[in-house]
Amino acid sequence: MDGIAIVGMSCLFPGAPDLKTFWQNIVNKRSAIGDPPEDWGGEPWFDPDSRDNDRIYCKRGGYLGDLSRFDPLKYGVMPMAVDGAEPEHFLALRVAHEALVDAGVPELPLNRERTEVIIGRGTFINRGYTNLHQHGLIIDQTLRLLKELHPEYTDDDLRAVKLRLKESLPPFNPQTAPGLVSNVVSGRIANRLDLKGANYCVDAACASALIAIEIGIQDLLAGRCDAVLAGAVQLTTHHLLLMIFAQLGALSRTSRLRPFDKDADGTLVGEGVGMVVLKRLEDARREGNRIYAVIKGVGSASDGRAKSVIAPSPEGEELALRRAYEAAGVSPDTIGLIEAHGTAMPLGDVTEFQALRRVFGTGDGRVGKCAVGSVKSMIGHLIPAAGIAGLIKTALALYHKVLPPTLNCDEPNPQLEIEKSPFYLNTETRPWIHGEAGAPRRAGVSAFGFGGINAHAVLEEFVDGNVLNTDSYHGEWDTELFVITGKTREDVIKRGEQIHAFLSGAADIRLRDLAYTVNSMMDDDSRRLSIVASSAEDLLRKLGHALKELKRPERSRIRDRSGIYYFDEPLGGKGKLGFLFPGEGSQYVNMLSDLCMHFPEVRDCFDILDRTFSREPGGHRPSRFIFPPPTSDGTSGDEGIWRMDVAVDAVITADRALFRLLNLLEIKPDAVLGHSSGEFMSLEAAGAIVLD
């Protein structure tokens, strides 16, 4: 098929109130695993070593906590309908609305009469149903027990007790009742957002989200609708649910979720909501939508008569994978990233790798070709919403051309036999260098559910000619530059003291916002104090030190390796600028990797390098040595980048990438010089030659 475009996305995940924060947490390797909120309401925690198995469960997980906010009036919901109903209904509505806004609605076209809503969700214990049971069954049982223990209680006494018990609970009334019906999750979204296509819920356990998306794609391709709002929700990590997982032996006793690690001992449960807006690719192009990624195909399969109804089956997972790549019309050999189910249950992880190896092959010397990871290591296992978290993460990875990291995988489980596959476990944030001539970056997303239901989606980046994506969700850089100017040294000191005073009394400052404010005040005055800072605290400390030094009259310049610079007589105002392009000996592993992730123009140079060598029979991919996989062997580390056939290519490419970036920043040299192979780039920079 031509493909289904993801034109809008939104999420509410642990530690992430929105899409940008979710991506920033991923690339910054921030874990959102923690203890439940204080008002969580679970029973006292029990010793993990207890022999009383029905009392063994781990309290840590991926909780939303204070991020669970909903303004009923904003969405036309009566406030009295919220308290006592199921929170999933309302937070799903909030995230669905945000997904449509992200898709450009109402500015961009959306045929509301032909927009479907398909939501994956579980039908197990949740807050709303717990409240319902307490109002009915639990209170009735309590009253019967009281009557047996205290036969002297009159009917009036028991009615009074019943009234007090009900007053202690959230309400249950005609307004809250609809919020306890499962399919009203999708119905409320369709109602409040005025969407008139079909709406319904899907329960396929942990595969719910991908199955919902598969159904939506089928409806789009069959012409039954023009857009689909699909996603999944899981908002109740109730202690009763954890006890069920504990009975199954699924929870980590060490409170750490370690996908594919040799010490993996179970999963941790999480909460979250994720939504995507889907359109046929040709429609999205025509209507001017931003396209995060393209879904090429989804495959699903059941395990059939496996060992157990809840035990994973490599045959069932393999069948889902094969159906996905058949539907997509692409070879698994073209996949650069797998977002695995990766629950950190040892049996599940080993089974998943068995299925992957059967479909992707043994590697044949291509170990380290395809990255594997699991977002569960950061946010927990979101059960029905697990697949949507993985899909959103993967779509953003394709959009930004970044290979996202997985946490807590220190040493791969030897039972995975990863050395017999083309895979590696990606534990670092890395640029996604791609040299496949004629093929876009591609990725796979897996979600496997209890009951033997398996799903896999194949995604690829959206390629539109030679246009480079500049709409970045990287909200934070490692450092920011601050330039404080003044006509005199005293002016610089005065302005610096104002900033220092502001920093001393402010809280929760975003460094990039402060840098923008400070640098927008920069002018052509001759005195400049420049500071490179990694945080507000770092800036406060360095600024205090700089001001102290500037108040010493004999100090005419500051050149501090920590990132502080000042000159009474700036060199740039009088001299000319020269570029010196280095040659062999200047290369190092992961050089310019940070710039590759922030500037497409830099990454594109390394893409071109790989693409050039991919045309050669048996040719090496230089990026394998420049940006080696984190778990690769020593031959692809420092030793590889010092090979002459790699060193020259790496240096020339890095020189070109930096030159392109400096040109983008309008920094132009008056003279250029090259050392060794750097002479090639100096000739090109001077306009003497053009390197193809």
Side-chain angles (χ1 to χ4, degrees):
M1 67 177 183
D2 190 24
I4 299 298
I6 302 175
V7 301
M9 299 195 297
S10 183
C11 65
L12 175 63
F13 293 139
D18 52 45
L19 199 64
K20 290 188 176 182
T21 308
F22 179 53
W23 179 244
Q24 198 66 55
N25 288 347
I26 288 173
V27 297
N28 287 350
K29 301 176 66 174
R30 292 175 182 157
S31 172
I33 301 296
D35 291 334
E38 293 182 0
D39 61 349
W40 182 78
E43 297 180 4
W45 307 113
F46 295 89
D47 184 353
D49 296 324
S50 168
R51 295 182 180 180
D52 188 3
N53 288 332
D54 66 335
R55 296 296 192 184
I56 298 174
Y57 54 94
C58 169
K59 67 177 180 177
R60 288 179 65 78
Y63 298 95
L64 291 176
D66 292 338
L67 297 181
S68 302
R69 301 190 185 100
F70 178 75
D71 179 0
L73 297 180
K74 179 178 179 179
Y75 301 98
V77 175
M78 292 186 299
M80 63 188 304
V82 176
D83 190 19
E86 175 51 48
E88 289 185 354
H89 291 220
F90 306 105
L91 291 184
L93 170 59
R94 169 189 148 186
V95 175
H97 174 261
E98 291 169 353
L100 289 181
V101 171
D102 188 63
V105 178
E107 288 78 12
L108 295 179
L110 180 74
N111 187 342
R112 293 180 184 269
E113 291 193 355
R114 290 176 54 81
T115 299
E116 294 185 351
V117 181
I118 310 175
I119 306 299
R121 76 176 297 233
T123 52
F124 33 72
I125 301 166
N126 56 42
R127 291 184 181 92
Y129 285 140
T130 300
N131 181 46
L132 174 63
H133 282 291
Q134 287 175 323
H135 270 278
L137 182 64
I138 302 302
I139 288 181
D140 289 344
Q141 287 178 337
T142 302
L143 293 175
R144 284 197 299 269
L145 181 61
L146 276 174
K147 192 170 184 177
E148 291 177 7
L149 295 175
H150 296 277
E152 72 276 12
Y153 283 7
T154 67
D155 289 344
D156 288 340
D157 292 333
L158 293 174
R159 277 193 292 270
V161 172
K162 181 176 182 178
L163 181 62
R164 291 294 300 273
L165 287 173
K166 282 185 171 288
E167 288 176 348
S168 69
L169 296 173
F172 172 60
N173 51 45
Q175 288 75 34
T176 61
L180 301 176
V181 180
S182 180
N183 73 291
V184 173
V185 174
S186 60
R188 194 185 297 274
I189 292 171
N191 175 273
R192 292 294 81 201
L193 303 183
D194 193 26
L195 307 176
K196 299 179 180 178
N199 83 80
Y200 48 90
C201 293
V202 173
D203 184 356
C206 311
S208 296
L210 294 192
I211 297 298
I213 287 170
E214 181 182 34
I215 296 171
I217 289 174
Q218 291 169 353
D219 287 352
L220 283 167
L221 295 178
R224 288 189 286 270
C225 62
D226 293 332
V228 174
L229 180 62
V233 55
Q234 163 62 28
L235 289 180
T236 306
T237 307
H238 199 279
H239 69 281
L240 298 176
L241 180 63
L242 295 185
M243 289 177 70
I244 295 174
F245 269 67
Q247 285 283 359
L248 297 172
L251 290 182
S252 168
R253 290 175 177 265
T254 58
S255 298
R256 293 193 71 192
L257 202 158
R258 301 178 174 94
F260 305 113
D261 189 77
K262 70 178 181 63
D263 294 323
D265 66 342
T267 196
L268 300 174
V269 181
E271 303 172 333
V273 192
M275 300 284 177
V276 295
V277 181
L278 308 176
K279 285 184 177 181
R280 290 179 289 269
L281 180 57
E282 61 269 25
D283 293 344
R285 276 193 178 122
R286 184 181 64 255
E287 294 167 2
N289 288 106
R290 170 186 50 197
I291 299 174
Y292 286 106
V294 177
I295 302 177
K296 296 295 292 181
V298 180
S300 58
S302 292
D303 289 342
R305 185 176 293 174
K307 294 179 181 178
S308 164
V309 72
I310 61 172
S313 162
E315 291 79 15
E317 294 176 10
E318 176 190 357
L319 185 56
L321 288 163
R322 292 196 184 280
R323 286 174 175 171
Y325 290 104
E326 181 181 354
V330 302
S331 168
D333 191 52
T334 64
I335 302 298
L337 170 67
I338 290 290
E339 172 61 20
H341 192 51
T343 61
M345 300 180 205
L347 176 59
D349 286 357
V350 172
T351 301
E352 182 167 8
F353 246 81
Q354 288 176 354
L356 285 169
R357 289 204 313 271
R358 291 179 183 183
V359 175
F360 281 74
T362 59
D364 298 327
R366 297 173 295 121
V367 177
K369 182 178 184 295
C370 181
V372 176
S374 173
V375 75
K376 293 177 181 64
S377 67
M378 299 180 178
I379 63 174
H381 185 3
L382 273 53
I383 321 177
I388 198 65
L391 186 91
I392 289 174
K393 168 191 170 183
T394 304
L396 289 172
L398 287 164
Y399 188 68
H400 290 297
K401 284 70 174 173
V402 169
L403 293 169
T406 291
L407 304 185
N408 305 328
C409 187
D410 303 318
E411 186 177 342
N413 185 343
Q415 295 183 56
L416 301 179
E417 298 183 306
I418 196 169
E419 69 280 358
K420 297 181 180 179
S421 75
F423 304 113
Y424 66 95
L425 299 178
N426 192 52
T427 57
E428 300 295 335
T429 304
R430 304 168 57 239
W432 192 341
I433 308 302
H434 183 71
E436 297 287 345
R441 291 170 179 82
R442 291 187 177 127
V445 182
S446 292
F448 308 135
F450 273 5
I453 175 64
N454 310 293
H456 186 79
V458 181
L459 281 67
E460 71 179 28
E461 66 176 326
F462 173 62
V463 180
D464 186 12
N466 295 317
V467 177
L468 292 172
N469 167 39
T470 56
D471 183 14
S472 174
Y473 274 14
H474 295 302
E476 301 172 11
W477 289 15
D478 294 336
T479 57
E480 293 285 352
L481 172 66
F482 295 82
V483 182
I484 303 171
T485 61
K487 294 186 181 299
T488 65
R489 179 190 290 217
E490 288 69 28
D491 291 338
V492 173
I493 293 174
K494 181 179 179 181
R495 188 172 290 181
E497 287 176 336
Q498 291 172 343
I499 297 171
H500 192 275
F502 172 76
L503 278 169
S504 301
D508 299 327
I509 298 174
R510 290 188 61 176
L511 201 65
R512 62 178 296 185
D513 294 339
L514 183 61
Y516 179 87
T517 301
V518 170
N519 295 341
S520 65
M521 302 164 60
M522 184 171 57
D523 51 37
D524 294 330
D525 293 338
S526 59
R527 302 292 189 270
R528 292 190 175 194
L529 170 64
S530 299
I531 296 176
V532 178
S534 59
S535 64
E537 295 76 15
D538 187 40
L539 175 61
L540 183 65
R541 179 180 57 80
K542 288 178 179 177
L543 183 55
H545 174 71
L547 292 173
K548 181 180 178 180
E549 293 299 310
L550 287 176
K551 291 176 182 179
R552 295 169 52 191
E554 71 277 10
R555 193 71 186 264
S556 62
R557 64 171 56 187
I558 304 174
R559 296 182 65 177
D560 192 312
R561 283 186 174 183
S562 69
I564 306 173
Y565 305 93
Y566 173 82
F567 297 89
D568 268 343
E569 298 294 333
L571 299 177
K574 297 180 179 179
K576 292 186 177 183
L577 179 63
F579 285 177
L580 172 61
F581 295 98
E584 297 85 71
S586 61
Q587 73 272 25
Y588 56 94
V589 170
N590 290 321
M591 62 180 179
L592 309 191
S593 63
D594 51 352
L595 296 181
C596 285
M597 289 184 281
H598 289 295
F599 297 99
E601 295 80 5
V602 174
R603 185 200 64 248
D604 190 50
C605 291
F606 291 95
D607 286 346
I608 292 171
L609 177 63
D610 265 18
R611 196 175 307 132
T612 300
F613 282 86
S614 70
R615 301 188 184 103
E616 300 295 328
H620 64 257
R621 299 290 174 85
S623 66
R624 174 175 173 76
F625 305 101
I626 303 171
F627 310 105
T631 55
S632 60
D633 57 32
T635 58
S636 58
D638 290 342
E639 294 86 351
I641 202 170
W642 288 99
R643 284 171 36 179
M644 186 54 66
D645 58 338
V646 175
V648 174
D649 306 323
V651 167
I652 293 178
T653 301
D655 283 345
R656 170 181 280 146
L658 284 174
F659 182 68
R660 288 185 65 183
L661 178 58
L662 290 169
N663 269 289
L664 180 70
L665 300 175
E666 299 183 359
I667 301 174
K668 309 287 185 179
D670 297 293
V672 293
L673 191 67
H675 164 251
S676 187
S677 57
E679 294 175 357
F680 287 104
M681 195 56 226
S682 67
L683 287 168
E684 185 176 37
I689 62 172
V690 176
L691 296 177
D692 183 2

